[in-house]
Amino acid sequence: MIIAANRAPVRRTDDGWAPSIGGLATALLPVLEEEGGVWLAMKEDDGIPERLEYPSGDPSLTVLRIRLSDQELHNYYSGMANRVLWPISHYMIQHLELDPAFMEDYRSINARFARAIVDEYTPGDYIWIQDYHLMLAPQLVRSDLADATIAHFWHIPWPAMEVFRVLPWARELMAGMLGSDLIGFHVEEYVKNFLESARVLLGAEVEGTTIYWKGREIRVEAHPIGIGVERFRRMSAEAAEEAERLREELGSEYLVLGVDRLDYTKGVLSRLLAFERFLEEHPEYHRRVVFYQIATPSRTDVETYQKLKRDVDEVVGRINGAFAVDDWVPVHYRYRTYTQEELCIFYRAADVGLITPLRDGMNLVTQEFIAANERGMLVLSELTGAAYLLQEALQVNPYDLRALTDVLKEALEMPEEEKQTRRAKLKKRVGELDVHRWAERFLSSFAA
Ligand code: ADQ
C-alpha cells in the first residue's frame, strides 16, 4: 500500500516515534504495518527525517517526505490548499484568493508527489491518495502507471457544481481526480455534487455512481469517517474525576462547550453571538451557566484567520465585560491546543456540546464528544456531514441567530430521560462509524 497525504502519520515523542494524533494515522498505521508499505507526506519542520523506517525495532513501513521550498510551501499549501480549495469547498467564496502562482506550484508539487509514488510502486500495490492537497496526483500517476489501482479520499465537503465551477481551474482539478479508480467522500450529498460536477464540467458520462471517462470507470462512494471509539471511551473513563473537579472549580450549574480549530468555517463567532443574546434574554441563567470555548490556533499565517482571532477576542471581551460579576465569568476562552486526554475532561464535564460549524465535511469533535460525554446533550449544525448521520442531536442552522439562541435553552432544559435516550442512540451510531471500520470498509471496496 502506498499512501500519499499532506501530513506524516508519525510524531516524535520522548520514547521515540509514535502515531500522529488524529484518526487517519490511527486507522491506517495498523493496516500499513500489517501489509507493509510507504506513506508519503510533505516535509515540515517536525524533526522527522526524509526517510524513516517505522516502527524502529521491526520496520514494516517507510515514511518518505517530499521537500518543499518556502515559496512552494506558501503557494501550494497556504495558497492553493488553504485560500482556494478550502474556502470554495466550504461555500465561502468571499475568502477566495485566486492567484495563478498558487496553481502553478500546486501543479508542480502534485507532480513531485506523483513521481515519488511511481518510484515506490511495485505491481499489485494499492495507491491511496488523501484529500484536497493532492487532486492532480491521481491522473499524473495514472499516466505513468496505466494498470495501477488508485483511490482518493476527500475529507471536506464537495460543494454544489455551480459553486465549484467558480474556480478557473475547476476542470483541470476534476480531471486530476478522475485518474482514480475509486473516489470516497463522507456522505451521499457530496457524492451527488461530485457526479454532477463531472457530468456538467467535464461532459463525463455518469451512470448511477459510476463515472465513465476516457475509456475508464471511476466509482464514487460515500464512506463516512469516524474516530477511534474505544480510545475515547477509555480516555473519558479515566477523566471522570478531573471532570468533576473542573465542574467544581467553575462553580457553575451548567457547562456549555465548544472545541474547534480556530477556522472561519467552524462558526465560533456566531456561537459566541448566540451565547451573548442568550444571556441578554435570560437573566435567570446569569451565574448559572459558563461557556467554555477551546480553540486551537490554525493557519495563523493567513490574514482571514488573523482577523477572525481578533474578532473572537473582541466579542469574548465584550460579553465578559458586560455580564461578569463577582466570581462568575460567563465565557472562558482558551486559544491553545490540548491533548486528547485533556479534551476528554471537557467532553466529559459538559452539559451541552455546542458544535455549530457554518460548514464542515464531517466534524470529528462531534463524535469525540458523543463517545466521551455521559451527562449532556449535543447541539449540532445541520451544515456538517455529521448531521446526516446523527439525527438524534439537536440540529440547528448556524446562520440563524434566533434558532441558535433558542436551541441552547432547549438543550439546557431537556428532560434527563430524553437526553439519555438520545445519547444512547448517538453512541451506538458513533460506534458504527469507528475509524477502524471506516478503513476496513473503504479498503474492501478498494479491493473489490
Ligand atoms: P478538521 O477541520 O480539523 O478536519 P475535525 O473533523 O473536527 O475538523 O477534527 C479536528 C480534530 O482536531 C479532532 O480530532 C479534535 O479533537 C482536534 N482538535 C480540535 N481542537 C482542538 C484543541 N483545541 N486541542 C486539541 N485538539 C483539538 C478535516 C475536515 C473535517 C473532517 C476531518 C476528517 O475539515 O470535516 O471531519 O478532516 O476527515
Side-chain angles (χ1 to χ4, degrees):
M1 167 97 65
I2 300 175
I3 293 183
N6 191 45
R7 290 264 148 84
V10 293
R11 66 195 160 100
R12 198 195 276 281
T13 66
D14 293 343
D15 310 322
W17 300 105
S20 305
I21 295 175
L24 201 60
T26 325
L28 296 182
L29 274 181
V31 182
L32 280 184
E33 284 181 47
E34 206 177 301
E35 312 269 327
V38 178
W39 187 303
L40 291 156
M42 176 176 87
K43 177 87 183 96
E44 295 176 270
D45 279 341
D46 50 13
I48 307 177
E50 249 166 77
R51 184 178 197 103
L52 173 77
E53 306 295 335
Y54 178 88
S56 328
D58 177 22
S60 53
L61 83 112
T62 310
V63 180
L64 281 180
R65 316 301 296 282
I66 310 285
R67 189 173 277 286
L68 275 66
S69 70
D70 287 349
Q71 188 206 306
E72 285 171 335
L73 185 67
H74 173 78
N75 286 337
Y76 152 81
Y77 180 64
S78 282
M80 190 65 188
N82 291 345
R83 298 175 214 228
V84 178
L85 296 171
W86 180 264
I88 195 95
S89 300
H90 291 85
Y91 293 79
M92 305 231 165
I93 50 179
Q94 72 275 28
H95 294 304
L96 265 186
E97 294 177 45
L98 295 172
D99 182 342
F102 294 170
M103 184 59 186
E104 247 168 65
D105 278 332
Y106 189 80
R107 286 190 190 103
S108 65
I109 300 306
N110 268 257
R112 206 172 297 162
F113 267 90
R115 169 102 329 260
I117 293 171
V118 172
D119 287 347
E120 293 300 321
Y121 180 79
T122 44
D125 282 353
Y126 287 95
I127 300 169
W128 191 4
I129 297 169
Q130 305 289 330
D131 228 354
Y132 59 101
H133 311 89
L134 295 170
M135 295 177 83
L136 300 174
Q139 182 54 42
L140 292 166
V141 173
R142 174 72 59 207
S143 54
D144 276 6
L145 303 173
D147 297 328
T149 310
I150 305 173
H152 191 286
F153 195 86
W154 185 263
H155 288 263
I156 60 177
W158 189 278
M161 180 274 293
E162 287 291 358
V163 171
F164 189 72
R165 80 184 308 172
V166 167
L167 288 189
W169 316 288
R171 290 179 173 82
E172 180 184 348
L173 292 164
M174 286 220 64
M177 300 248 313
L178 294 189
S180 316
D181 300 291
L182 171 65
I183 300 177
F185 294 95
H186 288 313
V187 294
E188 300 292 344
E189 283 64 25
Y190 309 157
V191 169
K192 281 189 212 144
N193 290 343
F194 185 82
L195 294 172
E196 174 81 344
S197 305
R199 191 177 62 74
V200 176
L201 302 180
L202 292 179
E205 192 186 323
V206 175
E207 229 181 85
T209 57
T210 303
I211 298 174
Y212 297 86
W213 168 250
K214 299 205 165 162
R216 297 181 40 260
E217 287 180 23
I218 299 108
R219 287 179 292 133
V220 187
E221 296 178 352
H223 290 278
I225 199 168
I227 58 163
V229 178
E230 268 317 306
R231 186 156 174 273
F232 273 90
R233 280 192 194 136
R234 181 175 43 74
M235 290 190 297
S236 164
E238 288 165 5
E241 266 178 41
E242 291 214 51
E244 277 314 312
R245 204 170 312 139
L246 172 71
R247 291 184 62 89
E248 279 164 28
E249 270 167 31
L250 289 172
S252 157
E253 208 175 323
Y254 300 108
L255 169 60
V256 178
L257 178 69
V259 174
D260 311 78
R261 276 190 306 105
L262 191 58
D263 190 294
Y264 51 77
T265 60
K266 301 290 182 183
V268 175
L269 207 51
S270 34
R271 194 179 306 159
L272 281 164
L273 296 177
F275 186 63
E276 181 178 40
R277 185 188 273 203
F278 174 82
L279 293 178
E280 281 163 9
E281 293 177 355
H282 299 287
E284 73 277 15
Y285 273 98
H286 290 192
R287 297 168 184 265
R288 293 173 61 205
V289 61
V290 158
F291 176 35
Y292 217 111
Q293 174 65 53
I294 293 176
T296 312
S298 183
R299 305 178 190 174
T300 48
D301 58 322
V302 182
E303 160 58 27
T304 43
Y305 288 71
Q306 296 162 4
K307 174 158 189 322
L308 174 64
K309 177 174 185 303
R310 291 194 299 272
D311 291 348
V312 167
D313 285 347
E314 189 189 314
V315 175
V316 170
R318 188 175 77 209
I319 300 174
N320 285 339
F323 295 100
V325 280
D326 306 329
D327 54 357
W328 178 60
V329 178
V331 182
H332 290 240
Y333 171 56
R334 300 288 181 271
Y335 178 64
R336 50 164 281 207
T337 301
Y338 286 82
T339 63
Q340 291 189 323
E341 285 80 2
E342 289 168 326
L343 283 185
C344 282
I345 301 172
F346 291 97
Y347 290 147
R348 178 131 190 154
D351 297 288
V352 178
L354 203 49
I355 302 176
T356 56
L358 302 177
R359 191 69 67 168
D360 214 332
M362 170 59 76
N363 191 293
L364 293 178
V365 170
T366 308
Q367 295 186 38
E368 295 170 0
F369 176 83
I370 292 169
N373 183 266
E374 303 292 344
R375 62 176 299 134
M377 191 55 214
L378 170 67
V379 172
L380 178 61
S381 158
E382 61 188 20
L383 302 181
T384 59
Y388 290 106
L389 307 161
L390 302 170
Q391 298 294 332
E392 290 80 14
L394 279 177
Q395 298 205 1
V396 66
N397 175 350
Y399 288 92
D400 184 345
L401 184 61
R402 178 72 266 152
L404 207 50
T405 312
D406 292 345
V407 80
L408 177 55
K409 185 159 184 290
E410 192 184 344
L412 286 168
E413 294 175 3
M414 184 179 279
E416 211 47 54
E417 207 182 308
E418 185 180 351
K419 281 198 280 191
Q420 256 175 35
T421 314
R422 288 186 189 237
R423 270 203 312 270
K425 288 186 180 157
L426 290 168
K427 279 180 187 288
K428 182 162 178 289
R429 191 79 181 106
V430 165
E432 292 158 3
L433 291 168
D434 186 277
V435 74
H436 300 280
R437 296 205 197 175
W438 169 80
E440 266 170 36
R441 282 191 295 262
F442 191 86
L443 292 173
S444 62
S445 175
F446 198 2

